[in-house]
Amino acid sequence: MLRGALCTTYCPEILKLATQSGIFVYRQPSWKRKYSPPQVGDSLFCGDNMAASTGKGGVTSFQKKSRTKTLQIPGTRPSSQGNQLLVSTGVPSLDHIIGGGIVVGTVLLVEEDSFGNYARLLMKYFMAEGIMTRHPLLLSSAELHPKQLLRDLPAPVSDDIGKAALHQEDVSSEKNVEKEATMKIAWRYQNLRTEQPELGAFSKFGHYYDLSKTMSSEMIDTAPSRLFYLPDELPLEEQGMWNSIRNPAYVKLLQSIQDVVREGQFDLTVPQPKDVSRTVLRIGLHSLGSPLWGEQDGGTSHDTSLPHFLHALRAVLRTSLTACLITIPTHLFQDMAFTRRLEKLCDSVIRLESFAGSEKEQNPAYKDYHGLLYIKQLSQANSLLSYMPDCNDFAFKLRRKKFAVEKLHLPPELQDSQQREQDDPVAALKTPSTGCFSTSGKSKLDF
Amino acid sequence: MEDSCVRGQFVLISDSLTDGSFLIHHFLSLYIKGGWKVCLLALAQSFGHYNAVGQKLGVPLTQAREKGQLRFIDGLKCSLQMYTCAPQEGQGENPLRALRDKKATLRPLYDLVKTQICSEEGVLEGPTLLLVDDLSVLVSLGVSAKDVSDFMHYCRVLMCPTQQGYCRVLMCPTQQSQGAIVSLVHKDADVEDEENSTLFRHMAYHGTVHLAVEGLSSGYSRDVHGQSNLY
């Protein structure tokens, strides 16, 4: 070290040398050090402080010292933004784009596609994830009996993946042990795994499901669940037109939600004894706001029953350990302003648009996918800002074992591109700023 | 943007296609650190939300609430009570009676705000801020824009009476207005919401400062969230 120079080092050997030779050594006091730098032999994964989040994809070399004690509940993990708990939606790639999962105490609104298939599928994934993580369920539906929905849940594949992951970890750690003696220069990296796992693949937080098999009925029956089927709960005479300001169907639903929260001890305002293990209640409200719930005129009269229900639901959720997924067929509403008001009263909003039956199905740019997914709003609860994704162009595709949500990339060139520019769908999708390339397209003189 | 607490201001925050509630947190922390008495009329979020953000911004809201510097009106709880109580019970003392009863106005809410901030004589004691988050929720819940506008007019007369020479004839000219109001209205540009637009126009007329928050005109960007204009 040169005289008058300032350098930082974490290596204890150099520090020892420095103090011995009389160079002034300044150690930052520990209260200032928020992040502890890695020491030799430390594992570089997020260790004891984070609950059950092994496969986050990006391995950081700092361990954040958590100051507050977050509730350790199986099947949840703390968010990266703050000390909030997240719960998986059942689709790991969807979790990733909405910022890690659904924040406990908030509502994720899914605006349905035209036929409602993919929204129903998302609801099934949400419920299946609840059964895998042993969270109690509350499922409500007006047209399809909730029992039928529950009977049809996809079976998990995660057991195989989990075993494979363990096996791979053993193999790679063996390799590392052999290499330990050899890595003399890059010794800091000897504890790193040799390959990076897929995003969210091996963690216990999100699971993968196989749609060709249904979940075993013992698993479903042993899971604590409460079902709300509208024709059972409210006789037909009371539904339909109502005189008072509120739709009795929504009131009944909210009352049953409140009852479950109170009985299941999910309420955070009521102090619980320490030995009671807490868990998160998953609420799924399928196809709320459809004509079967009483929304007759598609929102044109700005009837306030549904907004008031959502507002009151927010009041219940904010003070309890619950996570809610609601699907609403907003394509049935004629007035966009009504839809916007509903969105503002929910925390996170995504919209599904499937290609089935539309002209986009023939578009070669979309040929790998089944539909588009738009993020309209992300949860801002308990934080100054919501999670900001990289981009907002997402498409989803449904495979037997995976519902994958991916960024939509326009391919640079398609194999069977049209001769004329007007027919070329890729050129149509490109922004006007790249229009100069499309004009110099197909001339024989170009090389 | 000025960083000092100014008296007699009616600040209107409007957001379009984005969320302007970060400004509510900013004003809340600014005025509490400035030692003002704050009445937060929270219709959109729970106390835990403001507290969590306040801790990150360095303002302990629970302590302020205990000391009495912060008066919190929990709109969510009142709305829930209003929604689930049976009509025969009557609404009792709930300030949001207007949500069930079409004939009622927001007068009970104004009375509640007045009791929270004023002394027994009905006069403001010391500099006080009324923070409303947010007015569009009232419109979504069915209150007409006219009723909300009347409510804000009453609040403005309470908090900043000498604004714009409005009441100068009635008040003695040496009286300084002690209070300020900050409120948030949603005004999405791509959707035609008549009630919200009417409300926004009324509020813009009453207000002294208008902060408009919107996304970037060139599209979505991860690092820069948006732009805000001051009118």
Side-chain angles (χ1 to χ4, degrees):
Chain A
M1 273 179 253
L2 297 174
R3 195 175 284 221
L6 175 72
C7 62
T8 47
T9 174
Y10 298 122
C11 181
E13 288 94 46
I14 299 183
L15 275 176
K16 223 191 294 180
L17 276 172
T19 35
Q20 278 170 0
S21 54
I23 298 175
F24 180 72
V25 171
Y26 170 66
R27 278 190 79 96
Q28 226 185 8
S30 57
W31 55 264
K32 256 194 183 171
R33 266 180 281 159
K34 273 202 283 187
Y35 298 96
S36 53
Q39 307 294 319
V40 175
D42 260 1
S43 94
L44 289 172
F45 306 117
C46 311
D48 350 311
N49 293 336
M50 301 286 205
S53 60
T54 43
K56 251 186 157 173
V59 177
T60 62
S61 55
F62 290 118
Q63 284 187 30
K64 197 166 177 188
K65 290 197 174 134
S66 56
R67 288 193 208 107
T68 55
K69 262 199 198 155
T70 50
L71 280 172
Q72 308 263 343
I73 299 177
T76 66
R77 70 169 171 201
S79 83
S80 52
Q81 272 191 325
N83 50 349
Q84 298 178 67
L85 275 179
L86 298 176
V87 143
S88 170
T89 52
V91 181
S93 45
L94 180 64
D95 285 341
H96 178 69
I97 63 169
I98 59 173
I102 304 181
V103 178
V104 167
T106 64
V107 170
L108 171 63
L109 173 65
V110 175
E111 297 190 15
E112 291 183 11
D113 49 315
S114 334
F115 299 109
N117 298 325
Y118 296 106
R120 199 178 313 130
L121 196 62
L122 281 184
M123 182 62 75
K124 284 190 194 164
Y125 277 122
F126 186 64
M127 292 287 131
E129 183 69 24
I131 293 184
M132 291 301 294
T133 49
R134 300 206 183 94
H135 293 159
L137 311 172
L138 175 93
L139 181 56
S140 109
S141 166
E143 50 163 339
L144 198 61
H145 201 288
K147 256 195 231 151
Q148 269 184 315
L149 256 174
L150 276 187
R151 226 176 285 146
D152 208 18
L153 294 180
V157 250
S158 56
D159 294 333
D160 303 321
I161 294 181
K163 280 187 201 142
L166 284 171
H167 178 69
Q168 270 186 329
E169 273 185 44
D170 290 341
V171 167
S172 58
S173 62
E174 280 170 31
K175 280 196 206 151
N176 281 337
V177 165
E178 291 161 29
K179 278 190 188 163
E180 227 179 53
T182 58
M183 278 178 139
K184 284 207 165 85
I185 297 173
W187 48 269
R188 279 201 192 280
Y189 299 103
Q190 66 189 6
N191 288 326
L192 269 182
R193 283 200 286 210
T194 46
E195 72 272 2
Q196 292 288 333
E198 215 186 281
L199 237 75
F202 302 138
S203 68
K204 288 212 179 89
F205 182 66
H207 296 89
Y208 285 103
Y209 298 93
D210 188 349
L211 286 168
S212 56
K213 308 185 197 138
T214 44
M215 202 181 259
S216 63
S217 41
E218 310 94 62
M219 256 182 119
I220 301 175
D221 293 332
T222 49
S225 62
R226 166 90 161 85
L227 306 174
F228 183 97
Y229 182 46
L230 187 61
D232 287 344
E233 303 278 339
L234 202 66
L236 216 58
E237 306 86 52
E238 286 181 41
Q239 291 177 38
M241 303 305 288
W242 58 94
N243 307 334
S244 73
I245 227 168
R246 343 166 282 170
N247 187 338
Y250 296 137
V251 180
K252 205 83 209 306
L253 177 59
L254 188 70
Q255 277 166 348
S256 60
I257 292 177
Q258 272 187 304
D259 292 335
V260 174
V261 165
R262 212 176 309 129
E263 288 158 24
Q265 297 161 345
F266 299 109
D267 202 345
L268 283 171
T269 51
V270 176
Q272 296 290 334
K274 287 252 164 79
D275 52 351
V276 170
S277 62
R278 307 205 79 156
T279 179
V280 176
L281 172 70
R282 285 179 184 240
I283 302 178
L285 306 180
H286 180 61
S287 220
L288 205 64
S290 68
L292 286 169
W293 283 93
E295 297 286 336
Q296 306 290 348
D297 45 11
T300 41
S301 69
H302 284 211
D303 174 54
T304 55
S305 301
L306 186 51
H308 203 168
F309 169 77
L310 289 173
H311 195 241
L313 180 67
R314 185 185 268 198
V316 173
L317 293 185
R318 286 285 193 268
T319 51
S320 54
L321 282 172
T322 47
C324 187
L325 179 80
I326 305 185
T327 70
I328 296 187
T330 51
H331 53 91
L332 295 175
F333 298 150
Q334 286 136 22
D335 193 359
M336 275 238 21
F338 185 64
T339 313
R340 187 56 56 85
R341 288 186 189 179
L342 296 179
E343 287 171 11
K344 294 270 182 209
L345 288 166
C346 296
D347 300 291
S348 310
V349 182
I350 61 173
R351 182 164 83 89
L352 296 174
E353 183 189 327
S354 81
F355 295 146
S358 80
E359 70 250 7
K360 289 187 184 167
E361 210 169 8
Q362 275 80 42
N363 194 329
Y366 294 143
K367 68 171 164 22
D368 290 330
Y369 299 107
H370 290 109
L372 297 176
L373 189 145
Y374 302 98
I375 300 182
K376 289 191 135 180
Q377 196 176 284
L378 284 174
S379 167
Q380 247 199 0
N382 295 335
S383 69
L384 200 53
L385 277 181
S386 58
Y387 168 74
M388 294 300 221
D390 287 329
C391 75
N392 204 359
D393 307 306
F394 294 106
F396 63 86
K397 61 182 164 201
L398 183 63
R399 293 273 147 77
R400 194 165 54 93
K401 288 197 181 171
K402 202 155 73 155
F403 182 96
V405 179
E406 294 168 7
K407 281 187 207 168
L408 184 63
H409 294 294
L410 286 178
E413 197 188 281
L414 297 171
Q415 277 80 7
D416 49 358
S417 56
Q418 303 289 329
Q419 283 306 313
R420 289 184 305 169
E421 249 164 56
Q422 296 95 291
D423 296 339
D424 191 357
V426 180
L429 288 168
K430 279 193 188 140
T431 57
S433 59
T434 56
C436 51
F437 295 107
S438 58
T439 50
S440 63
K442 316 288 186 282
S443 163
K444 279 188 194 153
L445 295 172
D446 285 331
F447 49 89
Chain B
M1 232 173 50
E2 59 204 339
D3 266 356
S4 55
C5 311
V6 182
R7 296 177 193 219
Q9 291 263 13
F10 182 150
V11 180
L12 174 72
I13 307 172
S14 80
D15 57 24
S16 169
L17 299 173
T18 178
D19 202 340
S21 53
F22 64 94
L23 283 172
I24 297 270
H25 295 293
H26 164 75
F27 280 110
L28 184 60
S29 54
L30 179 70
Y31 281 81
I32 289 210
K33 281 185 189 161
W36 283 46
K37 192 166 160 189
V38 176
C39 176
L40 174 58
L41 173 55
L43 298 162
Q45 299 283 1
S46 63
F47 181 71
H49 168 83
Y50 298 105
N51 196 21
V53 182
Q55 275 175 351
K56 287 184 194 163
L57 294 176
V59 179
L61 288 182
T62 27
Q63 289 172 19
R65 197 181 184 185
E66 279 159 24
K67 275 193 300 192
Q69 193 191 1
L70 170 71
R71 298 291 164 95
F72 187 78
I73 299 178
D74 197 345
L76 281 179
K77 204 166 67 170
C78 300
S79 165
L80 175 64
Q81 268 174 359
M82 222 46 253
Y83 194 63
T84 48
C85 72
Q88 293 85 13
E89 279 169 21
Q91 284 83 42
E93 292 301 314
N94 198 312
L96 290 176
R97 264 165 269 173
L99 297 182
R100 283 284 281 273
D101 189 0
K102 276 190 175 146
K103 294 186 224 96
T105 61
L106 287 173
R107 183 63 199 265
L109 188 60
Y110 168 71
D111 291 333
L112 177 64
V113 168
K114 193 165 175 187
T115 44
Q116 293 278 325
I117 20 183
C118 294
S119 58
E120 283 82 36
E121 294 91 49
V123 176
L124 284 182
E125 34 181 38
T128 317
L129 171 75
L130 171 65
L131 198 48
V132 185
D133 178 23
D134 58 66
L135 291 173
S136 301
V137 168
L138 284 174
V139 171
S140 302
L141 292 181
V143 185
S144 69
K146 179 185 164 307
D147 285 336
V148 182
S149 175
D150 289 342
F151 165 71
M152 286 312 292
H153 173 71
Y154 269 83
C155 290
R156 191 172 67 109
V157 169
L158 175 68
M159 307 294 295
C160 3
T162 55
Q163 191 191 22
Q164 288 175 352
Y166 192 73
C167 298
R168 210 165 278 171
V169 177
L170 305 168
M171 305 270 169
C172 51
T174 51
Q175 188 177 29
Q176 258 287 319
S177 61
Q178 297 254 46
I181 309 185
V182 174
S183 65
L184 172 63
V185 174
H186 293 302
K187 179 181 83 88
D188 283 335
D190 63 336
V191 158
E192 283 196 23
D193 195 335
E194 280 177 36
E195 288 281 316
N196 262 326
S197 327
T198 319
L199 176 65
F200 169 72
R201 270 174 289 177
H202 279 268
M203 295 295 105
Y205 174 70
H206 286 313
T208 49
V209 180
H210 172 210
L211 278 166
V213 180
E214 53 201 24
L216 289 174
S217 49
S218 51
Y220 173 75
S221 157
R222 187 176 168 188
D223 300 316
V224 183
H225 298 144
Q227 61 195 26
S228 63
N229 300 314
L230 191 61
Y231 300 106

